[in-house]
Amino acid sequence: MRERTNLDAVTAGRRLNNYVVKQKTSRKNACAAFSCLIKMMNEINEVPFFDIQLPYELALKIFQYLGKTELGRCAQVSRTWKILAEDEVLWYRLCQQEGYLLDTSISDRSCWKLALKNCRARERTLKTNWKNRIGGVSQLQYELGKILCDVHSCDGVVIAGYTSGEVRLWDTRTWDYTAPILEPVHGPGDAGPRPHVSFVRINSSLAVAAYEDGNIWNLMFGREPIHHYQHNQRIQALALGSEGATVATASGFEVKVESPNDRGFWQTTETFEIQKLVNFLNLVPDVTGSPVTVAAAEDVVYLLKAEDPGKILHSVYGQPVTCLDVSAHEAAFGVKTFGWLLNEPNQILLYNLETSQCLKKMGNSIGDFTCVNLQNSPPNMLVTGNKDRRVRVFDLRKSESLCSLYAHQLGVSAVQMDDWKIVSGGEEGLVCVWDHRMGTKLWEMYARHPVRHIWFNSHSLITANIPDEKNPRGASIVADDLTTHRKHRGIIYAYEFSVDQLAVESILPICRSSYDEVTGYNYNIGLAVPYDSI
């Protein structure tokens, strides 16, 4: 019995000794493997490993050069690196770099990494909604205004002018917003029917309306106008700066620029005399000092500055300008050439506004270029519409057409693009949404009249179908019977693709009535259900 006990003790001792030897060997092997790994990493990446303690601010300065993927990998190295890689300053900077939440400060959110994740998920959902036409559609109508004359929009705020002389305002960002009627102040001698509204423009702070009789009213977002002046002849073109309160108008052979001074009093900044009638007028954005205006008058393009009032940017006799758009440093316009008579197709010309030199000549088309969008296009990109029914996207670095889309049967009348999609409108009333990277049409919508205005951002789209005929034949439009002639009026559509608005916007517009209106007009009677307000 004693011998068996001794044998068991010897066996246990041997097992323990072998275990200790194995542990030492495995530990040595692990250390050797780790040292070899560090040596290999140093040889491959040529990054020296050193044992020093960096200050947190200096380490944060190094980490700010990393992207989302690199920060995620660094967070898996150690607990210290995880704290550093998830610092709010780094993720706030990434969020700002990608264009999200630009108007916020770092103290507005507790977790900027989660905020960036939510913004990217929202962007993917918005893109899916755009592609599949998932969202709400509303019609912006004003029956008493009679026929729609002109429409403009800025950041979701829409202004419309009518043949009744009234100007209506909508804020599509707030769907329960009651649209006011902006009415100019009429004197005692202004009896009789009011003239038609010829042009309306709006930016973030100012609304402008021009009438057929030459009157110009500058209106803030209130009911009262703040400034009024008049031309002796009919107004041919109206331009409003994208920012600020500069207004340019063209009437006859005169271009007038109005803006308020430092004390807020409106005054005529410049008056330019030109030799031809103006067809297109644009104010150059982001100009410091005196405003700069680009005017296209038949076959001449003028660059109107205070220091050089009569400068001609482009002039070729017998080749009229068919469309115009400007950015901060460049101007793009379509030119109708002599065509097949001299084997010279129509083109888009790009000019530098600082040097007044022609930079590019793009496009070789039989049809006239009817619209061009330079200011709202991505950098080094340009989108145009043509009477030959095609939408073309040009790369300004190569002067080449990146894609050509067969769009509209009667020609393209309005167009806008961003980094992946194009929205185009045609003379036949069709609105088409395209993925220009794939060259495919995503969806389309039809209304009766030509599309004259298109504006969109990441989550909304505004289109306007404006009739060419303001006094339709055989139509006796009176205030007592507008429903018979509803087809003559034109219409404004507002599309909303935002995830936050889908639950509300999927409901029909008439069912989204506030129920506060006591009276309705004929077919547009507001619903009154008492228990809906409970």
Side-chain angles (χ1 to χ4, degrees):
M1 188 67 180
R2 185 178 297 175
E3 293 177 358
R4 184 177 179 182
T5 303
N6 293 336
L7 182 61
D8 293 340
V10 171
T11 303
R14 289 176 178 176
R15 290 178 179 177
L16 179 61
N17 187 30
N18 293 337
Y19 177 76
V20 172
V21 171
K22 288 181 179 180
Q23 289 295 323
K24 290 182 179 180
T25 304
S26 61
R27 188 175 300 171
K28 290 179 180 179
N29 292 339
C31 293
F34 185 69
S35 300
C36 182
L37 178 62
I38 291 177
K39 185 177 180 180
M40 291 173 62
M41 292 178 64
N42 287 336
E43 291 176 356
I44 295 174
N45 299 324
E46 298 180 355
V47 178
F49 279 74
F50 44 87
D51 296 330
I52 61 174
Q53 294 292 329
L54 289 177
Y56 187 86
E57 292 78 7
L58 182 58
L60 192 66
K61 189 74 174 178
I62 297 173
F63 272 52
Q64 75 175 358
Y65 295 100
L66 303 180
K68 301 183 295 295
T69 305
E70 291 80 7
L71 288 177
R73 292 170 179 170
C74 290
Q76 302 176 15
V77 173
S78 64
R79 182 177 299 175
T80 305
W81 278 39
K82 178 178 174 63
I83 295 174
L84 187 63
E86 294 185 352
D87 191 280
E88 297 300 324
V89 175
L90 299 176
W91 291 98
Y92 174 74
R93 180 185 61 85
L94 288 174
C95 200
Q96 295 285 303
Q97 285 181 352
E98 296 195 14
Y100 302 124
L101 306 174
L102 297 177
D103 299 331
T104 58
S105 62
I106 192 171
S107 60
D108 293 340
R109 300 292 178 105
S110 59
C111 182
W112 280 99
K113 182 178 180 180
L114 180 60
L116 178 59
K117 180 181 178 181
N118 294 337
C119 288
R120 291 177 66 88
R122 181 177 178 271
E123 184 179 10
R124 288 192 298 268
T125 306
L126 278 174
K127 187 175 292 187
T128 302
N129 293 344
W130 266 97
K131 291 181 177 180
N132 299 306
R133 198 169 61 181
I134 301 175
V137 183
S138 292
Q139 298 179 6
L140 309 182
Q141 298 187 69
Y142 179 54
E143 292 78 10
L144 297 179
K146 299 184 180 179
I147 296 178
L148 189 63
C149 293
D150 194 27
V151 175
H152 195 248
S153 60
C154 175
D155 295 333
V157 181
V158 184
I159 186 172
Y162 295 87
T163 55
S164 64
E166 294 177 312
V167 178
R168 191 75 183 263
L169 192 70
W170 287 273
D171 189 349
T172 61
R173 300 168 297 184
T174 308
W175 289 98
D176 56 352
Y177 178 80
T178 303
I181 302 172
L182 306 180
E183 296 183 357
V185 179
H186 296 281
D190 297 336
R194 287 178 291 181
H196 297 178
V197 177
S198 54
F199 299 100
V200 289
R201 295 291 183 269
I202 192 171
N203 62 14
S204 58
S205 59
L206 190 69
V208 183
Y211 290 82
E212 290 287 340
D213 60 353
N215 281 290
I216 304 291
W217 294 88
N218 296 344
L219 306 139
M220 298 295 286
F221 290 136
R223 300 291 294 271
E224 297 293 333
I226 60 172
H227 179 57
H228 166 261
Y229 64 98
Q230 186 172 5
H231 285 277
N232 295 326
Q233 302 180 39
R234 180 181 178 273
I235 297 170
Q236 292 143 359
L238 170 68
L240 175 65
S242 57
E243 298 291 338
T246 302
V247 180
T249 54
S251 176
F253 300 101
E254 181 184 68
V255 175
K256 184 182 293 187
V257 180
E258 299 260 336
S259 61
N261 57 18
D262 297 336
R263 301 176 60 185
F265 295 103
W266 282 80
Q267 60 185 5
T268 302
T269 307
E270 296 293 338
T271 301
F272 304 97
E273 295 292 336
I274 57 178
Q275 300 178 356
K276 297 185 178 182
L277 298 178
V278 174
N279 305 108
F280 305 98
L281 189 66
N282 287 81
L283 283 166
V284 180
D286 304 327
V287 174
T288 57
S290 301
V292 180
T293 309
V294 179
E298 299 180 11
D299 52 9
V300 183
V301 179
Y302 294 92
L303 182 61
L304 305 177
K305 301 180 181 179
E307 59 273 12
D308 193 1
K311 187 172 184 179
I312 296 178
L313 189 67
H314 168 84
S315 177
V316 177
Y317 180 76
Q319 297 187 2
V321 175
T322 57
C323 57
L324 171 69
D325 194 26
V326 299
S327 63
H329 305 287
E330 296 167 331
F333 49 89
V335 174
K336 182 178 181 179
T337 59
F338 295 107
W340 294 109
L341 182 63
L342 298 178
N343 195 21
E344 188 177 3
N346 301 321
Q347 292 181 326
I348 291 287
L349 304 184
L350 182 70
Y351 272 78
N352 188 300
L353 296 178
E354 297 176 357
T355 62
S356 301
Q357 298 295 321
C358 182
L359 302 177
K360 303 289 182 182
K361 293 184 177 181
M362 298 165 287
N364 294 297
S365 171
I366 304 174
D368 301 342
F369 285 96
T370 54
C371 53
V372 58
N373 197 317
L374 174 65
Q375 184 175 355
N376 298 321
S377 298
N380 300 314
M381 302 285 281
L382 174 73
V383 60
T384 65
N386 199 292
K387 279 188 177 180
D388 65 359
R389 312 174 184 179
R390 289 190 173 274
V391 173
R392 292 177 175 87
V393 179
F394 293 96
D395 188 341
L396 302 182
R397 296 163 293 187
K398 301 179 181 179
S399 302
E400 297 178 355
S401 176
L402 299 181
C403 67
S404 178
L405 307 171
Y406 186 84
H408 303 274
Q409 295 180 358
L410 300 181
V412 185
S413 56
V415 68
Q416 185 181 337
M417 71 173 294
D418 62 6
D419 56 347
W420 69 273
K421 65 179 176 293
I422 298 173
V423 181
S424 63
E427 294 285 345
E428 76 284 353
L430 201 65
V431 174
C432 300
V433 179
W434 310 78
D435 188 337
H436 64 77
R437 299 171 301 178
M438 304 296 294
T440 56
K441 183 189 292 186
L442 300 176
W443 50 273
E444 63 183 29
M445 288 287 288
Y446 174 77
R448 183 180 180 87
H449 301 286
V451 181
R452 299 299 182 198
H453 176 73
I454 287 177
W455 176 89
F456 69 83
N457 57 11
S458 61
H459 60 84
S460 60
L461 167 66
I462 295 171
T463 64
N465 297 75
I466 302 176
D468 290 332
E469 184 62 49
K470 307 305 180 189
N471 297 300
R473 288 176 293 180
S476 175
I477 299 181
V478 293
D480 295 332
D481 187 16
L482 297 181
T483 58
T484 308
H485 308 284
R486 188 178 186 184
K487 62 182 180 180
H488 297 302
R489 295 186 194 140
I491 194 168
I492 306 170
Y493 283 104
Y495 303 80
E496 178 60 50
F497 303 98
S498 177
V499 184
D500 303 332
Q501 300 287 341
L502 289 185
V504 177
E505 302 313 318
S506 59
I507 305 173
L508 292 175
I510 195 173
C511 298
R512 284 190 259 118
S513 173
S514 61
Y515 310 124
D516 295 331
E517 299 178 0
V518 180
T519 60
Y521 186 83
N522 289 1
Y523 56 90
N524 193 21
I525 300 175
L527 300 180
V529 183
Y531 53 80
D532 281 2
S533 60
I534 298 177

